[in-house]
Amino acid sequence: MIRVRFAPSPTGYLHLGNVRTALFNYLFAKANGGKFILRVEDTDKERSRKEYLESQKEDLLWMGLRWDEGPEVDGPYGPYLQSERLEIYRTHIQKLLDEGKAYYCYVTEQEVEEMKHLAKLERRPPHFDNRGRNFTQKEIEERKTRGVKPTVRFKIEHPELSLHDLVRGDVSFNLDEMVGDFVIQRADGMPTFHMAVVVDDAFMKITHIIRGEDHLSNTPKHILLQRALGFPTPQYGHLSLVHGPGGEPLSKRLSSVSVREFRKAGYLPYALCNYISLLGWAPPEGHEILKWDELIHEFDLMKVSKSSSNFDQDKLNWVNGEHLRLLSDQDFCRYAMTYLKIQGLLTKDEDKVHGILPIFKDNIQRFDQLPSRLEVLNDEFPYEEIHCLQTPEGREVVQAALEVLTVQAAQPALDYQAFIDGIKPKVKVKGKDLFHPLRMALTGKLNGPELKRIFPVLGMEKVKKRLEQAQKS
Ligand code: GLU
């Protein structure tokens, strides 16, 4: 059975880049009847925060990426927080030490830094020269008395290897040139990321590791560790990075692309997933708007491109708008109401808001446009552009509208078509020049829902009041 994992470190909020990794893992698992596992990589005590972990879980659930195993859900291979698995890592580090595949290294951090510095000056890769392997007993004792705490380093014996990456194709590495013996346990006794990842992936029976391209250089280290520990090597797929507006890779530091910000802006979660899926992948039929079930059905990891992609806010808005149009009025209201309530933006009578919401379905792209649209319910509002009400033509339109209303007042219900038909012969202007002042008088805005939909929601009284108001402007 296919088993994949998303393994965030709780050191920041989820952003579009890492949530894409989560989504691709999820979709790959679901398309193949597999399991999606959430593992929390919280061994960096200084940078990990509970608040980040909570928000990461909340964001994943909001996006619909429910994990089959992980925190709160559990499963046969838990615990799923690395901070609760330290003993398992220790046992395996010890095993490598016992078998001579790793060694205590008394080279100090300062010496390592100096080596790196020198390499930089000489324009060489920052390669560790493995000097700690050959310390004599005397040197070690001398360092111990100086209080040097050792790290544990893994010996690189077979530095050349290659792999077939599901996204990038054939890749080969020479670790000798790249890094030299690498640390698997820090001087403070904590396992490094490399050790924890390898042990967990094996224990959790992960079959496919789908992660960001930024981890590609770690993969040979992981494969060597797997071999040394007798673990199978999973299939790897490294996703290209997503670049931000300035061309830089997206990161935790860019709050504008955090999932929290997308929630605040009022995107539909599955529309956001749909947009993210298009970063590096294209649906076979070319229909880019896919409902959640369709996305699960259509997505194909093997077709994901290895070139990097760019985040395009306009396209995201377009995708979201298209999804809004696909909703029934009832579902649109339900999602919109939930959004307004959660964001604390429901400041008007709930029934009135409910009654008017469907008229915005065709003309917004995201829910954060609603509060300003809902100003149409206010009795007083500023005019976005007053000029069109003050020209002689504009005044004529408003005047004519009021006259028609007076005649229509005898009718039981306000009839929009009769209202417009009544105005037309009384004025010189038509088309945009006729509708512009009317829209401005009735809503205070240049854009928005069709007037014929606003009209019945407002009712005779309000329409009349607003026209009178505009007349005075
Ligand atoms: N914890 C790592 C990160 O947040 C992911 C490691 C992995 O996927 O192997 O970048």
Side-chain angles (χ1 to χ4, degrees), residues 167-178:
V167 178
R168 324 199 74 75
D170 293 330
V171 196
S172 35
F173 307 90
N174 186 335
L175 271 183
D176 245 0
E177 284 167 11
M178 288 163 69

Side-chain angles (χ1 to χ4, degrees), residues 5 7-9 39 41 193 197 201 209-211 214-215 222 252:
R5 82 314 192 265
S9 307
R39 183 172 76 224
E41 306 210 324
F193 157 71
V197 163
D201 286 337
I209 295 181
I210 304 158
R211 60 184 176 186
D214 46 336
H215 283 293
H222 297 179
K252 295 178 207 187

Side-chain angles (χ1 to χ4, degrees), residues 265-325:
Y267 291 103
L268 293 168
Y270 58 87
L272 182 61
C273 288
N274 185 176
Y275 170 73
I276 294 174
S277 77
L278 303 174
L279 294 168
W281 173 74
E285 302 294 328
H287 300 304
E288 291 193 304
I289 303 302
L290 297 170
K291 291 190 184 160
W292 188 223
D293 291 347
E294 293 169 334
L295 190 57
I296 292 175
H297 191 247
E298 300 274 333
F299 182 78
D300 185 354
L301 183 70
M302 304 310 147
K303 301 255 161 67
V304 168
S305 149
K306 64 177 173 187
S307 16
S308 65
S309 38
N310 293 314
F311 171 56
D312 176 350
Q313 180 100 40
D314 291 338
K315 179 147 185 195
L316 168 60
N317 288 343
W318 172 75
V319 169
N320 199 63
E322 292 299 300
H323 275 284
L324 289 179
R325 305 306 163 247

Side-chain angles (χ1 to χ4, degrees), residues 99-146:
E99 292 173 3
K101 294 173 178 167
Y103 59 96
Y104 283 109
C105 176
Y106 285 83
V107 177
T108 63
E109 214 176 309
Q110 197 190 349
E111 286 169 308
V112 173
E113 283 311 312
E114 279 164 14
M115 249 181 270
K116 278 191 196 156
H117 185 65
L118 199 64
K120 205 171 165 194
L121 289 181
E122 292 172 2
R123 292 166 190 261
R124 288 184 284 108
H127 175 253
F128 181 69
D129 62 10
N130 301 349
R131 66 176 70 168
R133 271 203 211 188
N134 306 317
F135 280 171
T136 59
Q137 201 50 42
K138 195 162 156 255
E139 275 172 304
I140 292 177
E141 287 309 323
E142 186 266 323
R143 282 171 181 251
K144 272 189 189 166
T145 37
R146 270 202 283 136

